[in-house]
Structure formats: structure tokens, C-alpha cells
Amino acid sequence: MMTSRRNFLKTSGSLAAGALLFPSLSEAAKVKNVGIQLYTVRKEMLADAVGTLKQLARIGYKELESARSDKGNYYGLKPKEIRKIASDLGMTVRSGHVHIDKDWKRSVDMAAEAGQSYLVCSSLPSEGQTVSNYERCADLFSKAAEDCQKANLVFGYHNHDYEFEKKNGKVLYDILIEKSDPKLVKMEMDLGWAILTGNDPLKYFAKYPGRFPLWHLKDMDAKKKESTEFGKGQIDIVKMLKNMDKAGMKHFFVEQEEYPKTAMKSAKYDFDYLAKLTY
């Protein structure tokens, strides 16, 4: 009996130690620090920015990504204002979408004032679905990333669907990744658009490990070619989350642009969906 008990204690102790080192042995991971791209609630932010942020905080969102609007980069709020409001609500302004244009340097300064870690270019700075234009944009990204680095920001680019077109046998999106400075230029992978175009984000994570510190977590209705609430489209969220380390993902933002009822109801639905997930 004593020998059996010693073996039992030894075995159970080893299992406990293993569980500490490898949490997945004891329980699956839960989704934490859920972020939201404020474009999801763009009309609400323009109508009542402070009230909308309070609603998002009550739902449980912890991180925010802004998007340039008719009222500026922060929906009529000053950078330090949104930073304080978010902080008081237990949230962080982590990132923001802007354009590389005549106001670029001002956008960098504002992002630093807002306390952001990332500044994301939300669309190509010049039009043209050609290899030469994408090479030119990649060069612009590297220069813009240098501006960001001086302000202690990380530069990123957010994709849509058109970047995955092929020209001369080359995927245009790949040109942006390969021709820009890998140390300075990061990608915010919009998982929904990537998957809708028939691409597998996991292949990108394997080919360019660590280049995707930001994600837009978005489910897509393949028939309507528009965003939908989680679980109603084609994205395998758990599969994506299991590969976040390979991608280098540090933060993700829920984004939904179309809604069955209201933007806020969908924002809550998506948050509640993620809260029930394990991976």
C-alpha cells in the first residue's frame, strides 16, 4: 500500500507540474483581452463617442482600434481625451487606422499622444493593381515605418480583398510583405477578407512567421460577400487562435460592418461568442 501510495503521489505530482508548464494539459485556453475596431460602431461613435465607449466597456471589450472618420482620427475626441476616457473605463487605445497622405506626420504625432502601440495604414496610398504600384507602396511603407519607429509606434498595413489579386503570376499582397522592411513593417491580417478570397491565413503565418502581430477577427458570409456575426460564416476562429503564436499575433480586434439588427447588438453577440470559446 505504501509503495502504491508513493507511486500515486509521485505520478500525480508530475502531472501537476506538467499542468503548470503546459496549461493545455489541464484546461483549454480562454480568449482574453478582446479588442474591437471602432469602425464596427462607426455611426454610434460619431453620434456619441463617450457613451459608445462606455457601452463597449460594459460589454467587456478591453482594447480599441480607431478609424479615421468625418470627425477626425478619434471621432471628434482629442488624442489625450480618448486615451483618458478609455483608461478610466479599463480599456486601452491600442491601434488606429489612418492613411498615408498629407496628414501622415500629424497622424503619427496624434497616435503617440493617444498612447497607441500601433499605427495602421488602412488602404493603399496610391491606386493601381499593378506590380510596380505595389512595389512603390512597399517602399512607402518602409519609410512610414521609420516615422513610426521614431515615435515608438509599430507600423502595420491592413488588407482587404483586392490585394490578393494576381498579376504576372504574383499575388500582389505578397509583394507588400516581401518588398517592405520585415523588421519595421508588420501586417494586420483581416482574416475574413483573406479567407473570402480563397486564401488560407495559416499558409501566410507559416511562410512569413511573426509578420502578423495584429488581426481583424471577422466572420464572412460567402454568398453575400459581407461580414456577419461569429459562427454564422466560414471562419474557423478556434483554428486561427491555435496558430496565433506562429503568426506573431499580439492583439486582435473584432470587426463587423453589416448587422442583422444593430451594430451594438452584434458587438455584444460577437463578444459573448468569444467568451464561450476555448482553444
Side-chain angles (χ1 to χ4, degrees):
M1 289 292 292
M2 289 300 293
T3 302
S4 298
R5 178 170 170 76
R6 276 198 301 271
N7 289 337
F8 170 77
L9 291 173
K10 183 178 180 180
T11 302
S12 60
S14 297
L15 287 172
L20 289 173
L21 291 172
F22 305 101
S24 59
L25 293 176
S26 58
E27 60 178 338
K30 299 286 289 183
V31 179
K32 298 179 181 179
N33 297 323
V34 179
I36 186 168
Q37 162 56 252
L38 292 175
Y39 189 76
T40 300
V41 289
R42 53 197 177 277
K43 292 182 180 179
E44 291 77 4
M45 285 295 296
L46 287 171
D48 181 5
V50 177
T52 300
L53 292 175
K54 288 180 178 178
Q55 289 186 67
L56 293 174
R58 283 196 292 270
I59 290 172
Y61 285 100
K62 294 296 183 183
E63 302 204 315
L64 304 173
E65 182 175 61
S66 65
R68 181 176 291 182
S69 70
D70 291 339
K71 291 185 177 181
N73 293 355
Y74 304 102
Y75 310 92
L77 297 173
K78 295 179 180 178
K80 290 183 179 179
E81 279 184 307
I82 193 170
R83 179 178 186 172
K84 186 178 187 307
I85 292 167
S87 178
D88 290 345
L89 293 170
M91 299 190 293
T92 301
V93 182
R94 185 67 62 189
S95 178
H97 276 201
V98 297
H99 304 298
I100 298 178
D101 55 15
K102 61 182 179 60
D103 297 319
W104 167 248
K105 292 293 181 68
R106 177 59 182 146
S107 291
V108 172
D109 292 340
M110 292 175 73
E113 290 176 24
Q116 293 172 206
S117 304
Y118 296 85
L119 188 59
V120 176
C121 177
S122 58
S123 60
L124 291 178
S126 58
E127 295 183 1
Q129 291 296 91
T130 63
V131 171
S132 60
N133 183 51
Y134 274 70
E135 289 177 339
R136 182 165 56 252
C137 288
D139 288 338
L140 283 173
F141 290 169
S142 295
K143 294 175 182 176
E146 291 176 1
D147 295 332
C148 285
Q149 186 182 47
K150 293 174 184 176
N152 294 317
L153 296 164
V154 176
F155 175 87
Y157 178 73
H158 167 269
N159 68 277
H160 297 85
D161 56 347
Y162 54 82
E163 293 93 341
F164 293 98
E165 289 183 12
K166 278 187 176 181
K167 297 294 179 181
N168 302 333
K170 186 72 174 178
V171 178
L172 295 173
Y173 185 61
D174 295 5
I175 294 173
L176 296 178
I177 300 176
E178 294 170 4
K179 296 295 183 178
S180 59
D181 188 333
K183 294 181 180 179
L184 297 180
V185 177
K186 305 300 179 182
M187 296 289 161
E188 179 174 60
M189 171 71 83
D190 188 307
L191 301 176
W193 283 120
I195 292 172
L196 191 66
T197 57
N199 288 278
D200 183 357
L202 302 188
K203 291 184 178 179
Y204 274 93
F205 302 159
K207 187 175 182 180
Y208 308 104
R211 288 294 294 274
F212 305 91
L214 304 180
W215 289 358
H216 271 192
L217 203 57
K218 178 192 293 180
D219 210 346
M220 300 291 281
D221 184 320
K223 291 183 179 180
K224 294 183 178 180
K225 296 187 183 302
E226 65 181 32
S227 58
T228 187
E229 293 175 337
F230 289 150
K232 300 180 181 180
Q234 59 188 52
I235 187 173
D236 187 337
I237 295 176
V238 170
K239 187 177 181 181
M240 295 297 113
L241 291 173
K242 286 182 176 179
N243 286 273
M244 64 182 185
D245 289 340
K246 187 176 293 184
M249 191 271 278
K250 300 182 185 302
H251 310 277
F252 73 86
F253 305 99
V254 171
E255 184 182 45
Q256 190 174 330
E257 296 151 315
E258 294 87 16
Y259 334 96
K261 294 181 180 179
T262 69
M264 196 59 70
K265 286 183 178 179
S266 286
K268 186 177 188 309
Y269 181 96
D270 291 337
F271 182 90
D272 291 344
Y273 184 94
L274 292 176
K276 296 174 185 176
L277 285 187
T278 56
Y279 63 96

